[in-house]
Each structure stands twice: as structure tokens, then as C-alpha cells.
Amino acid sequence: MLAAEGLSPADMQVQATDAGMLATSHPACSTATDLSAGCLAAVLGRPRWPDAALAARAQAEGAAAAVLAAWRERGEAALEAMQGNFALVLIDTRQRRVMLAVDRTGTERLCFAQVGATLVFSTSARAVARHPLVSAPVNQQALYEYLYCHMVPSPDTAFAGIAKLLPAESATFNGQGLSRRFYWQLAYDTRGDGDDAALRQRFLDLTEQAVARQTDDIRPTGAFLSGGTDSSTVSGMLGKVSGQPAATFSIGFDAQGFDELEYARITSRHFGTNPHEYYVTADDVVEAMPLIAAAYDEPFGNASAAPTYFCARMAREHGIEVVLAGDGGDEFFGGNERYAKQGVFEHYHRVPGIFRKLMEPVVMNFPLGASIMPVRKARSYIQQARVPLPDRMETYNFLHRSPLADIFEPEFLAAVDTERPLELAREAYFRCASSEPIERMMHLDHKITLADNDLRKVTRMCEAAGVAVRFPFLDDDLVAFSGLLKPEQKVHKGRLRVLFKDALRGFLPDETITKSKHGFGLPFGLWLNEHAPLKALAEDALASLGRRGIVKPEYLAYLRREHATAHASYYGVMIWVLVELELWLRANAPAGAA
């Protein structure tokens, strides 16, 4: 057997043998066989081919047939001819070779494990782990990474010996060894060709094209609408390309500082959408927390998965089968506030080294400096600026607030590499084709924030709700365009998404352009003190987690005290992460065996 795959019927299931047979149980998977060449292919997703001949082949015979045609002509370079979102398995029985690949932005996923001369692969890490040839236990290292990142960052998975592909990565297996490579990287070769007006128009044209590509001609299509710039743009463009009011779906919270439905209403009135709203309650969260733990093949701690699920479910209840989401605009056009903040610290490294050597001892050793506001601020600035990127971005990580020995049980701590999350971040940061810190941070966020986190959140919750989701801002032409912009056209003097927002002035309401970023934030921390069923769920989960030999019971008690007495929203984030871990472990590892 060259390749075998996992067990869950909901996942992409492909199995190839020396006899050259291919089977798949995923209803959205395209398969093809070329007996003359001894090749078999399976493709999940919505790939696209700029090459006219390959596009015609895909239209006539299916995506997998186009993959085989490209493979015959170009070999592994066939991947460079593919765009769109896809997970690909190609098996060449004559060369005894299996190739796995996922799309450039990591919208789809593939996980795999090598067991001797066999490769087991699936869209689900849990399916691979449960294959009888694998039988992988939960990986303690991954649990540490989860508590650090609030998800398990690729290439690691929650199960020992199982890996997952990164965006734009392929893996080739020949029955003996496995090699991995990146077949695409965002280029930054040309900088801002044309004047700003032409670039702004080009952005608008590409955004409209991207939304048109993701709008379904057959199935009813709607859009998530948080009221932010991204979702508002997608909602407005959906109405424009469809020629009718877009069906939009928005979530609210009955908690001060969390509800932003008014911004969604501003967008809806501006574009004349057909709006739908739902207020998430604490009872909804009690329902959602075990649902989230069961839905993901790895522990997943992003609390906004809950409102995402209810928003997607509302769309399905109103007859929508495809929903468009605004994810990706921040990571490719400079929308995260930390880009501007970290840019301030990067200015320090432009000061000549000789001046820094003279200045630092004076500031750091200034008499009574801790009690003098300007000196105290200068010390804090220097201390933070000294930490290089990307490590500086994790300075405020929750696990850095206390010594790790106070958080974790000794045996667990001794078994894990606490530097692994930062090593993964450094790899993505320095792999960027640009040397500009802003663009390197965006490249890191493409991998960590987008592919490992936000896309997993939205796609899995939409699947659980019974709708398909698509991401116009991840359109390949739009992503490539982002690489043509100068860094200052993305972030400049504290302004975020400079060209992006300038291009949308006049299209979006002014209030949308100027509002601060929020998204589907969840008042879990506040509700945890007020809602008895939610409090009971959390306390039961934390007590159970404290017996697993991972996190010390004393630390869990400390978190609950701090949450109950002050900073409920802040400490509520970590409590959510820990409760979801326990709920996930209950389904995937017996107590004491994590």
C-alpha cells in the first residue's frame, strides 16, 4: 500500500493501493484516474486555473482531471498553475510517489503521518490518529502550544507523529522518505507601479472581481456583517455584483462595550442590504462550548467561534447555503494594530548603535527613575525595543505573566519544549520574501493568525452550521496585488491599511472607515460571574483539568480568584481556553492520559 487515509466519513478519504484504485467519500471531492500514466488525483475545494486549457479541462471533466493534465505537462510545477482554495492528493503509481498540497493561503488543510512504507493522510488530524496503522496518542507538546497560542500551530498537530501542511506547502512521499517544500511565496518585486489613484482603482476592481468569483450562481449566497471595514466591503460588493440587496447576518451581545450591531446597521442602511440579526446569550455559550470541543479535530480556544457558529446557523435558517466572510484583509493590507505599535519600537533600531550604548546606561540607571514618569516610560520603551521581532509580539502572552513552574505540573513541563511556539513564529517571520518588519509581521500573521486560527474558526463553525464559507480577500489576484504595494501604503505613521481605506472612501460609510477594529468579541468573562449554568460548566471543567497532570490546580484556583475579583474579561480569555481544552480532552484522551 502506498497511501491510506483516515476513518471519519465527513473527511476527505482517499486510499491508493499498488493496484491503482482510488476511492473518496467526500461529496465535494473531485477525483480522476489516468490509467495510461498510472496516476490518480483527488481535489477538495474550489481550485482555479489561469491557464485557459487547464480551465477548460476542469470545466469539462472536473478539477482532478485538470490536475492530472498539469501533472503530465509540468510535474510538481503543476502546483504553481493552480489558484483558489484546494486540498490535493496525487498518486503516481509508476513512480511510486504520493504528493499532498494545500492552497496558497491555507484555506484548506491536510494532515498526515508516515508509518513505514505507508502514508496516512486526511483533512482531519483526528482521523489520521485513529487510523489503525497510526493509533496516535494526544501530544503533550501540542497541548503546551495550544495554551500558548490558543490553537495548535502548524506544522504540529494535537497528536504525536502527525503533521499538517502550512499554506502553499506540498509534501512528497516515495514509500521511504517524505520531503516538504513551499511551491509559492508572495512576491514583493514591484513597488507601487502607477500613481495612488490608479492603485486605488485597481484595488476596487480586484475586490469586486474577488467577490464575483466567490458568489455562487446556483446556491443562495449571503455575507457575514460585523460592521467593520472588511465585512462591510464584502457585503457592499456582494450587492453590487449580484444586482440585488445582499442578505447580511450580524451578531450582537447584550453587554456594554461588546455590542456593535449599530455599525452593522449603518452598513446595512448604506447599501440597502437585507439584514438579519441575532443576539448571543449566556445560554447560547453554554450550548456552544461542548459543541466547539466536539467539532474541532484539535483543541481550539478562539472564543469568537461561538458567535461565528450562531451567525452561520442564522444564515442557514434563512435559506443561505454559501456565506462570504471578510477574513484576510488585515493580514495582506496591514490592518492589525500591532503593526503600528511594533513599528514604534522598530524606530529605536534606527538609532546608531554608539548613541544607544551611551543613552541606555543613563536611562536605565537614572536615580529614582522608577518614580519619574518620563524616565519610567523611557525604560519601558527601551526594554521592549531590545526584544527582537517576532519575539516582541509575544511579550504580553498570558503564559509570560507567571513563571511556567507556577503554571504547569513538573512532569508535564519537563516533557515539553517551551521555546517551540517562538521557533515556529520565527520561521514564518524570517521566511517572508520582504525584509520590511511590517511585511514580515503580516507574513507571520498570514500563517499564525489567519491560516492556523481565523480560517479554522470560520470554516469549521460554518460546517457545523451547515453552510459553506468563502473568503474574497484571499483571492489570489488580490493577494498578489498586496505584494505590489509599498510598506507605507499599508501602514504609515500609525495609520493602518492606508491604501485599502483610501480606496474605499466614498464606497463605505465614513463611520465604517474610521471605526476601530472589533469583530465578534464575546463577553464570556463577564457572563461567567453572572450566569449560574455557565459558571457550573466552567468550574466542573477546570476541576477535571486540574487532575490531568498538565496545569497545577493552584494556578487554576488563582485564575478563578482573579477573574471573580477583578479584570473579568482579561482572565476570562484564559479560562475559556482551559475549559475548551478539558472539553476536548474528554472526547480525545481519558483522564490522566493526556
Side-chain angles (χ1 to χ4, degrees), residues 30 32 61 70 72 86 91 120 137 180 201 249 300 308 350 355-356 367 391 415 418 424 470 479-480 483 570 580:
S30 167
E61 303 177 40
R72 288 192 300 269
F86 62 85
I91 301 166
V120 181
R180 304 175 67 160
Q201 187 58 52
F249 300 88
F300 190 76
T308 299
R350 299 190 182 101
F355 291 115
R356 294 204 304 267
D391 298 32
T418 60
L424 294 176
R470 299 173 186 172
V479 169
Y570 178 78
E580 282 296 339

Side-chain angles (χ1 to χ4, degrees), residues 8-24:
S8 171
D11 296 318
M12 180 178 179
Q13 296 186 344
V14 182
Q15 182 168 329
T17 69
D18 291 333
M21 297 181 66
L22 180 69
T24 176

Side-chain angles (χ1 to χ4, degrees), residues 156-179:
D156 299 345
T157 74
F159 301 95
I162 299 172
K164 55 180 175 269
L165 292 175
L166 279 67
E169 189 180 26
S170 67
T172 303
F173 178 68
N174 63 7
Q176 297 177 341
L178 184 142
S179 60

